[in-house]
Amino acid sequence: MRLSGSSALALLSSLACLAGKANADLKGVFAHYLVGSMGGSDEAVKDVQDAKAIGLDAFALNVQDASASWSTSAIQLLFDAAAENDFKLFFSFDMAVLDQPSTFLPLFKQYQSNPAYYYHDNRPFVSTFDGGTKSFGASSPNAGWQSQLKDALASSGINPFFVPDFDDYGGAAYDAAFFSNYPVVDGVLSWEAAWPEVNEGTVNVSSAKDQVAIQAAHAAGKVYMMPLSSLQFKHIDGGQNWYRRGELNLPERIAQVLELQPDFVEIITWNDSGESHYIGNCWPEAIAGAPAIQAYSNGFDHTGWQAVLAPFITAYKNGATSISDVTPFGEFAGAFWYRTLLKSASCSGDGLGKPSGSENAEDLINVAVLLPASTSGVNISVYSGGNLVSTLPTTAGLNMAAVGIKTGAQKVELVNSAGQVIGAGSSTMDVAADTSGVCNFNYQVVHIA
């Protein structure tokens, strides 16, 4: 039976569910989720159902306020939705905002016994964003976290599985010295390893930090949670205006995950519109008071990336080690993405100006197409500015390509050996050479269906 890309997506929920039940011991794949104001339970349910449909095991709930009503209300809505849909959640406390564990321990204690809370090794999973330099008045950060988190919870009979993002601890990577100095952790996440640094120039993402972390973590009997992301673009104020390369970062990072086989994977992110790396829904209530974020995220849908991620998640859980093993659930799956503004734009009408790192961007149509093992003779036709600019051959598995872009409309077609178009996607926004408005380096993502 022939299944189009859109028809295949309808099968994701049932296939992911079957894979999870058959392979309950496989490594978890999560998505970082910013807790923000929500319009009601329907939004929470939609997010949970969409995440489960692509094979995610849990959301890592980024909590920046553990007591405000907007935050606790959203958390309750998410746990209710997760319980109703056999999905899991765990907390990732944002230590760039929160002062000390005592501010969030009541919330953690409240939910760690919830049926929808994610457990590993019979222990409630908990993470952070930053916090590697905070000692909470103790002799060292390790002593502080031991006293204020683990010992404080032990008195209540709770033994958390603690996998923080401590990228701010001061070292270049999570090496043997880190694990010697931080025995309090059960593992680590590296947020910053997901993209090239701005000062690295026009380079592809490296897995060097991940390799060091995996080796050191395993030598210490710990785990490593590897980050997977698309880009990072922030354009809020003078201190928050940068671009960390997107381009083919997402499929390149997929290949690295499969090669390194980390213990866990965290997708950055489900809904962080402020940093532009969202793959899910960005509800208007969460950014209602942030017009700067609205200006570069509204109308820029990234859900097309889910068509690429779903087969990857299944392949990773089944032990695949190469992108040739990442095959679609139907006849094909794919997406393409592009910036709607050329890097040469002056952005003279934007008071913030061009983001730092914009010089590292490339004017490209980026394509990821997944084809089954039996594929033969399928080509990718890339149109830019109304003209066919490239015809690319394909192989089985995940195909990635980047083609120079022109101003105007964009389109990608999948053409079989008989010359028939079996899948296509067309842009909803044209590419412009310059703008008098926002200097937007966010991506338009188009699902190939």
Side-chain angles (χ1 to χ4, degrees):
M1 179 176 66
R2 178 183 182 275
L3 289 175
S4 69
S6 57
S7 299
L9 282 174
L11 297 177
L12 297 185
S13 181
S14 58
L15 289 172
C17 182
L18 289 172
K21 290 179 178 178
N23 302 288
D25 59 337
L26 290 181
K27 298 178 285 289
V29 181
F30 318 122
H32 203 80
Y33 186 106
L34 266 65
V35 174
S37 296
M38 303 192 83
S41 60
D42 56 329
E43 293 178 352
V45 170
K46 175 66 172 170
D47 281 342
V48 163
Q49 290 179 344
D50 287 354
K52 184 176 179 180
I54 66 169
L56 290 178
D57 296 287
F59 283 144
L61 300 183
N62 177 279
V63 177
Q64 299 183 4
D65 192 318
S67 59
S69 60
W70 62 265
S71 178
T72 57
S73 174
I75 289 168
Q76 185 63 60
L77 289 172
L78 287 161
F79 270 96
D80 289 345
E84 292 168 3
N85 290 276
D86 192 25
F87 191 66
K88 302 298 181 184
L89 310 168
F90 64 86
F91 289 124
S92 175
F93 294 107
D94 196 326
M95 302 309 296
V97 180
L98 299 170
D99 291 330
Q100 53 190 349
S102 61
T103 62
F104 63 73
L105 284 184
L107 184 71
F108 179 69
K109 289 179 180 179
Q110 176 185 351
Y111 283 101
Q112 59 85 29
S113 59
N114 188 291
Y117 200 92
Y118 185 83
Y119 270 57
H120 175 72
D121 196 23
N122 296 315
R123 299 162 62 189
F125 202 100
V126 63
S127 186
T128 71
F129 177 79
D130 283 353
T133 62
K134 294 195 173 186
S135 57
F136 317 117
S139 59
S140 68
N142 182 78
W145 282 102
Q146 181 65 48
S147 171
Q148 299 300 311
L149 179 73
K150 287 205 165 177
D151 293 349
L153 290 172
S155 64
S156 300
I158 303 170
N159 182 18
F161 193 81
F162 186 39
V163 185
D165 160 43
F166 277 177
D167 278 338
D168 61 335
Y169 87 97
Y174 294 118
D175 54 14
F178 169 85
F179 289 101
S180 176
N181 292 328
Y182 288 82
V184 68
V185 306
D186 296 291
V188 287
L189 160 70
S190 178
W191 182 275
E192 301 299 335
W195 321 268
E197 298 283 356
V198 168
N199 61 11
E200 291 183 271
T202 307
V203 298
N204 294 331
V205 64
S206 169
S207 63
K209 290 182 179 179
D210 306 289
Q211 294 177 45
V212 171
I214 290 174
Q215 182 177 2
H218 289 177
K222 312 289 186 174
V223 301
Y224 181 60
M225 184 154 62
M226 188 167 170
L228 170 63
S229 193
S230 51
L231 78 151
Q232 189 180 132
F233 168 61
K234 207 167 188 176
H235 193 67
I236 297 176
D237 54 38
Q240 301 180 90
N241 184 25
W242 62 74
Y243 174 78
R244 293 177 69 173
R245 275 173 57 85
E247 282 70 30
L248 287 175
N249 197 81
L250 181 64
E252 288 170 347
R253 198 69 177 149
I254 284 174
Q256 293 170 359
V257 169
L258 294 176
E259 178 186 2
L260 297 181
Q261 291 291 297
D263 304 288
F264 299 100
V265 174
E266 184 165 307
I267 295 172
I268 302 175
T269 60
W270 184 263
N271 63 342
D272 188 348
S273 50
E275 292 194 347
S276 306
H277 39 50
Y278 51 94
I279 65 162
N281 310 297
C282 294
W283 303 116
E285 297 84 2
I287 56 173
I293 296 174
Q294 295 175 33
Y296 61 85
S297 63
N298 284 355
F300 284 74
D301 186 354
H302 290 182
T303 56
W305 273 324
Q306 294 179 24
V308 176
L309 288 165
F312 152 71
I313 292 170
T314 297
Y316 165 71
K317 290 183 177 184
N318 287 332
T321 58
S322 168
I323 58 173
S324 63
D325 299 320
V326 183
T327 54
F329 303 126
E331 186 179 8
F332 64 86
F336 73 91
W337 54 100
Y338 65 98
R339 294 190 324 279
T340 59
L341 188 64
L342 298 183
K343 64 176 288 185
S344 59
S346 68
C347 296
S348 58
D350 189 323
L352 293 181
K354 298 178 76 169
S356 62
S358 62
E359 67 277 9
N360 301 329
E362 295 179 270
D363 295 327
L364 301 169
I365 302 176
N366 305 279
V367 184
V369 170
L370 299 95
L371 295 168
S374 60
T375 192
S376 176
V378 175
N379 287 325
I380 302 171
S381 296
V382 181
Y383 296 81
S384 185
N387 298 309
L388 177 64
V389 294
S390 186
T391 300
L392 307 167
T394 65
T395 60
L398 172 58
N399 298 265
M400 64 179 91
V403 177
I405 202 167
K406 300 178 183 297
T407 56
Q410 316 301 317
K411 182 173 69 172
V412 171
E413 294 180 340
L414 303 183
V415 183
N416 66 15
S417 57
Q420 299 169 322
V421 176
I422 60 173
S426 296
S427 61
T428 57
M429 288 188 183
D430 287 355
V431 174
D434 207 344
T435 179
S436 59
V438 175
C439 193
N440 194 346
F441 272 57
N442 195 0
Y443 277 91
Q444 273 290 340
V445 182
V446 180
H447 179 210
I448 298 173

